[in-house]
Amino acid sequence: MEAQAWSRLIDALVRVEDIAPSDSGLLSFGSAPRNGGILVEKGRICWAAAPGMQQRLRDLLQEFAVDRGVDLDRIYERCRAEGRLLGQTLVEEGWITASELETALRRHSAESLIALCSDEEELTSWISRGGNGYSPRFTFRPVDVLLDVVSLYVPDLQDTARRELARFNGP
């Protein structure tokens, strides 16, 4: 990732940290929300999404699924019809563990942030949606997502960085 993309990534994560803890919404990239963004709730990242990355999330979930042949599209459609969250449903029904879901979501968010920040598009707006709705178990601190991005480039430094940052753990 080039220096300019790292700068955009850091700027985006700082903006996430600057959002009021009581606010929830989308930090959008590009000229419209459909161009990608970071969904934030209570100062934590619920997910990051970039155009064209939907299949990658399915691939990551499939990698962790107990039954590699599980029809994720069928489960997704059922969740959509019932108004349920896919990830939580996969955990509740035993298709994936909570830890595996967290790993898949963080990896997908890291990869999406790389895609969003590598593009020339700048952050454009904060779109507040108010309210809550994501399980705190499946939301992440901006610094954890940053470490996931770094681990994609320098995997052997991630544990060292986590230990070092844990010494400064605070609000």
Side-chain angles (χ1 to χ4, degrees), residues 112-132:
S112 293
L113 277 173
I114 290 168
L116 289 168
C117 294
S118 294
D119 193 1
E120 294 299 318
E121 295 281 355
E122 295 294 326
L123 292 171
T124 57
S125 60
W126 169 249
I127 304 165
S128 181
R129 71 172 178 92
N132 299 315

Side-chain angles (χ1 to χ4, degrees), residues 67-157:
D67 175 359
R68 301 280 193 258
V70 64
D71 186 351
L72 290 176
D73 290 331
R74 183 184 54 77
I75 296 172
Y76 171 76
E77 289 304 323
R78 180 169 46 94
C79 288
R80 196 167 162 203
E82 295 171 1
R84 297 175 61 197
L85 297 172
L86 174 64
Q88 290 179 359
T89 300
L90 292 172
V91 170
E92 289 167 4
E93 294 180 2
W95 295 108
I96 191 172
T97 68
S99 176
E100 291 167 334
L101 175 62
E102 179 179 351
T103 299
L105 291 174
R106 282 178 45 178
R107 175 69 181 258
H108 184 261
S109 290
E111 291 177 4
S112 293
L113 277 173
I114 290 168
L116 289 168
C117 294
S118 294
D119 193 1
E120 294 299 318
E121 295 281 355
E122 295 294 326
L123 292 171
T124 57
S125 60
W126 169 249
I127 304 165
S128 181
R129 71 172 178 92
N132 299 315
Y134 279 83
S135 170
R137 170 73 170 93
F138 302 115
T139 62
F140 319 107
R141 298 179 312 167
V143 69
D144 290 322
V145 176
L146 174 61
L147 290 174
D148 290 334
V149 169
V150 170
S151 76
L152 294 171
Y153 292 94
V154 193
D156 33 329
L157 292 181

Side-chain angles (χ1 to χ4, degrees), residues 7-79:
S7 178
R8 282 193 290 275
L9 174 71
I10 298 300
D11 288 348
L13 294 176
V14 166
R15 284 192 63 187
V16 167
E17 288 186 332
D18 287 343
I19 294 166
S22 59
D23 202 2
S24 296
L26 180 72
L27 185 59
S28 96
F29 285 68
S31 56
R34 71 180 180 277
N35 289 343
I38 306 169
L39 184 66
V40 179
E41 187 168 296
K42 295 183 179 177
R44 295 178 62 89
I45 295 173
C46 301
W47 50 255
M53 296 289 289
Q54 298 85 346
Q55 184 59 46
R56 178 63 180 144
L57 179 56
R58 285 189 183 108
D59 293 344
L60 288 167
L61 292 171
Q62 196 78 54
E63 281 179 34
F64 287 109
V66 172
D67 175 359
R68 301 280 193 258
V70 64
D71 186 351
L72 290 176
D73 290 331
R74 183 184 54 77
I75 296 172
Y76 171 76
E77 289 304 323
R78 180 169 46 94
C79 288

